[in-house]
Amino acid sequence: RWPVPSDSENLVFKAARLLAGRFPGKGARITLEKGIPPGAGLGGGSSDAAVTLLALCLLWEIEHDPFTLDTLARELGADVPFFLHGGTCRGVGRGDEILPLPDARPWPLVVVWPGMGLSTREVFGALPESLTMKRILSSMKGFVAAPAAAAESAEPPDLTNDHETTAFRQLPLLAKQ
């Protein structure tokens, strides 16, 4: 288990407080046990926040629509809405506008964590401007393999990570992994 802040800086706390602000008089006692290292870039905090929104809606018997939850999730962070949807998705805008795609075939993947984390905010903040400029959705055509082709292919897609260079600069040990 990994230690995480249990105060107002924690995304679970923020998600619960945000939803409770919309539904006064509701409350819950939440215990968080982390199985994903904080700062590993695997969306642990964001997925925790998303599931907190979903779980509290169930617990408090709140009728919710996806638009409302997406709006709340966006207030918590750009990748929180993805975890409300899951599966294969394309994030546009700042990454918080989620477009579901057909799931690709599973393929083997190795994830290496060097025992040290990075701040998502700092990695995104250090991206080259060309990767963070506003784009219109139609400019995405051809940027990624067509969803149907990716889903049917027996070979893993040739993926790249635009964050690699920035992350390597901030934590050179990553480049050696």
Side-chain angles (χ1 to χ4, degrees):
R1 302 288 175 227
W2 306 96
V4 293
S6 57
D7 59 10
S8 62
E9 291 303 307
N10 186 287
L11 277 176
V12 168
F13 182 93
K14 289 179 180 182
R17 171 96 10 125
L18 185 63
L19 193 61
R22 304 270 175 123
F23 299 93
K26 303 287 187 182
R29 184 177 302 240
I30 300 172
T31 301
L32 175 64
E33 291 185 17
K34 294 291 291 180
I36 295 175
L42 299 173
S46 297
S47 62
D48 292 340
V51 79
T52 298
L53 292 174
L54 293 169
L56 290 177
C57 283
L58 286 172
L59 178 69
W60 295 342
E61 298 178 341
I62 296 170
E63 290 291 328
H64 64 279
D65 63 274
F67 178 78
T68 300
L69 280 187
D70 272 355
T71 301
L72 293 174
R74 285 175 170 183
E75 289 183 44
L76 296 166
D79 55 348
V80 176
F82 167 80
F83 292 101
L84 292 175
H85 298 274
T88 304
C89 297
R90 176 179 293 155
V92 297
R94 59 176 204 141
D96 60 348
E97 298 172 49
I98 305 302
L99 305 174
L101 298 171
D103 285 336
R105 290 181 178 216
W107 62 85
L109 179 69
V110 175
V111 177
V112 177
W113 182 64
M116 298 159 53
L118 287 172
S119 160
T120 302
R121 177 169 290 183
E122 289 175 17
V123 172
F124 272 89
L127 284 172
E129 186 177 343
S130 62
L131 293 175
T132 59
M133 292 180 353
K134 285 201 176 268
R135 293 185 177 117
I136 57 172
L137 183 58
S138 63
S139 70
M140 297 288 288
K141 186 176 182 183
F143 183 69
V144 188
E152 295 169 7
S153 173
E155 293 296 316
D158 183 19
L159 301 174
T160 59
N161 184 343
D162 291 333
H163 293 92
E164 241 180 30
T165 303
T166 304
F168 290 170
R169 265 196 309 272
Q170 292 183 5
L171 187 58
L173 176 63
L174 282 176
K176 297 178 182 176
Q177 298 294 318

